[in-house]
């Protein structure tokens, strides 16, 4: 008898390939959209480390393998972002890139809506300036 895998956002999106695609498209937009210049300026020239960390975080956050925690411990996102000046504008730019990327990954519309709202809440929570 085999135990069935739980249905998670990670599995509904298509697992690792879909998350890798989402992260790739997200950073493509961050790197190329002039209207994302503030959030892009917070990142290193080489985005490979940021891509890897976001992929690992999203994997666990969406119900897949908890790769980020395995490598770095608890995400503590707010604390990890303290060294960066995260403004309301930067948060909006981050969501602009993420929203564009989310529409390039096949998933049920209701799931996309829920993920967008959860990420919006998270992006707002990261703001650490007045």
């Amino acid at each position: 008898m085999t135990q069935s895998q739980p249905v998670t956002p990670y599995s509904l999106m298509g697992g690792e390939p879909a998350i890798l695609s989402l992260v790739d498209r997200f950073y493509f937009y961050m790197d190329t959209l002039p209207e994302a210049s503030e959030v892009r300026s917070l990142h290193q020239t080489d985005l490979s480390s940021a891509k890897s960390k976001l992929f690992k975080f999203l994997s666990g956050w969406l119900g897949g393998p908890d790769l980020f925690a395995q490598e770095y411990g608890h995400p503590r996102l707010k604390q990890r972002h303290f060294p960066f000046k995260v403004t309301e504008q930067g948060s909006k730019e981050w969501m602009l890139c993420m929203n564009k990327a989310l529409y390039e990954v096949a998933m049920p519309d209701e799931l996309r809506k829920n993920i967008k709202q959860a990420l919006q809440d998270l992006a707002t929570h990261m703001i650490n300036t007045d």
Side-chain angles (χ1 to χ4, degrees):
M1 181 178 279
T2 61
Q3 190 175 23
S4 65
Q5 296 293 326
V7 177
T8 64
Y10 179 88
S11 65
L12 290 171
M13 290 173 69
E16 182 176 315
I19 306 306
L20 286 169
S21 177
L22 175 66
V23 169
D24 184 59
R25 297 310 297 160
F26 169 78
Y27 281 107
F28 167 79
Y29 287 119
M30 182 188 290
D31 206 30
T32 60
L33 291 176
E35 58 269 40
S37 62
E38 182 176 318
V39 72
R40 179 60 178 96
S41 73
L42 297 175
H43 291 75
Q44 296 178 355
T45 303
D46 179 358
L47 292 170
S48 57
S49 177
K51 285 181 179 184
S52 174
K53 287 179 180 176
L54 182 59
F55 164 73
K56 289 173 183 176
F57 169 74
L58 288 175
S59 176
W61 187 75
L62 292 165
D66 204 358
L67 304 172
F68 189 94
Q70 290 170 10
E71 188 168 341
Y72 302 105
H74 189 282
R76 299 183 319 270
L77 291 179
K78 184 88 169 182
Q79 181 180 352
R80 290 183 192 271
H81 286 80
F82 280 157
F84 309 101
K85 183 180 177 184
V86 181
T87 65
E88 183 176 348
Q89 179 61 34
S91 176
K92 287 179 181 178
E93 291 177 11
W94 193 93
M95 280 307 303
L96 169 70
C97 298
M98 185 54 75
N99 285 335
K100 287 182 168 292
L102 282 167
Y103 278 100
E104 294 189 24
V105 176
M107 69 182 86
D109 289 337
E110 188 67 21
L111 176 61
R112 181 178 292 108
K113 177 183 163 191
N114 291 337
I115 290 172
K116 282 176 61 175
Q117 184 58 59
L119 287 172
Q120 177 63 64
D121 293 345
L122 195 56
T124 300
H125 180 68
M126 292 300 106
I127 297 170
N128 60 18
T129 60
D130 291 334

